[in-house]
Structure formats: C-alpha cells, structure tokens
Amino acid sequence: KTAPRRLSMPSSSTSAAPPPRREDIRKEGWAWKESLFLRQYRKRWLVLTCPPHPQPSRLLTFSKKQDYSARPTEDIDLRQCGTVKSADDLTNKPFSFTVQVPDRNFFLAVDNDADRNEWVAAIGRATTENRRVRSYSEEVEYQEQQARLAAARAAGD
C-alpha cells in the first residue's frame, strides 16, 4: 500500500515568520477570503504589516480578531505581489478585490466600496515600498533567507 498523498500548500500560506508587531501594523479589519480548495468565502481578520526594511510587508489573515498568538491562516509576502485590484467582475461579489502572487490569486471582499478602496490603496503602497531596489548584499541575504525557509518547510512536510 502507498501512503495517501498530501497536498502541499503554496509557499505564501506557510510561514515561519513571527507574529506581527503592533507598531508594524498599517491596517487591519474584517474581510471575507475565498478558500483555496472549496472556493467558499470565510470571515477573516485581515492584517497589513509594514515593518522596517529589510523585513517584507505582509498581508496576514487570522480566524479571530487580533489573535496574533495563533498561526495566520494565510501569510502573503507582498514582495511577490504582482497586482492588487478590484475584482467584482471576477468574483461576482460586490466590494471584492484580488491580491495576485505567482502561486495564487487571493480573492477578498469587504462590506463597502470605501473599505475596498482603502485596502487596495494600502496594499498597493506596501507593495511599492517592497519593490525598492535591494543592494547586492541585501539580495544575497534575502535569497539565503528564502532558501532556509524552503528547507524548513520541506523538513516539516
């Protein structure tokens, strides 16, 4: 008999990163996030962090409001974000937006147009800040950190 095959989660949803520090939180609030496999929307506490360089800005989701001791249900490294935009036409859900990273498109929805515009703008600013050109030594350090994280994830599987 062969062992059942485990589904591997995208790199953006697994994290060895520490919980967010209060001073790094730029925006937080409730949103509905589409689940990866069942495509159902679940209520999540959404947190945008922008720590000092060289730490990446992150978009985190939690099951409970401000329960930062729990592991986030998603941890999106915004250095990988290609696009953040309104997504009503893609989701058929009002006040929705998407955060696109190489391995996944995250779909989220909030209660009104103003909230959506604030989230899209805040995530867009954080993404732009993360695109600051890194020096060679910063790039080497980042690549080494990513290799360590990948090895830690592989060891955990």
Side-chain angles (χ1 to χ4, degrees):
K1 273 187 165 179
T2 59
R5 187 172 167 209
R6 288 180 52 197
L7 294 171
S8 63
M9 298 300 291
S11 60
S12 59
S13 63
T14 58
S15 173
R21 298 180 319 161
R22 173 64 46 198
E23 61 268 22
D24 296 338
I25 296 174
R26 182 170 291 175
K27 184 166 178 56
E28 60 187 331
W30 287 111
W32 294 89
K33 186 190 74 65
E34 185 185 60
S35 66
L36 177 62
F37 296 111
L38 299 178
R39 300 286 186 220
Q40 296 175 339
Y41 280 83
R42 296 186 176 130
K43 192 172 185 180
R44 294 290 184 243
W45 185 250
L46 194 59
V47 179
L48 174 64
T49 66
C50 296
H53 185 76
Q55 296 299 315
S57 293
R58 296 159 48 210
L59 186 63
L60 308 166
T61 64
F62 295 90
S63 297
K64 296 179 182 170
K65 180 179 181 178
Q66 298 177 331
D67 183 10
Y68 304 134
S69 62
R71 183 179 178 159
T73 58
E74 300 289 353
D75 184 346
I76 306 165
D77 180 339
L78 293 178
R79 288 175 295 197
Q80 305 299 316
C81 181
T83 304
V84 57
K85 64 180 181 179
S86 175
D88 294 6
D89 56 333
L90 298 171
T91 63
N92 292 320
K93 198 165 189 61
F95 318 123
S96 63
F97 60 99
T98 181
V99 177
Q100 299 174 350
V101 294
D103 56 356
R104 183 167 170 201
N105 291 342
F106 291 90
F107 291 102
L108 301 119
V110 291
D111 291 333
N112 58 61
D113 196 47
D115 281 349
R116 176 186 46 202
N117 293 341
E118 287 176 18
W119 276 108
V120 168
I123 295 166
R125 282 191 301 273
T127 300
T128 301
E129 290 167 10
N130 272 306
R131 292 221 170 99
R132 183 185 72 77
V133 176
R134 290 191 289 259
S135 69
Y136 177 76
S137 61
E138 288 173 327
E139 181 63 27
V140 168
E141 180 181 338
Y142 171 72
Q143 294 298 332
E144 289 171 350
Q145 178 189 34
Q146 292 303 303
R148 286 191 301 273
L149 289 172
R153 281 193 293 270
D157 285 345

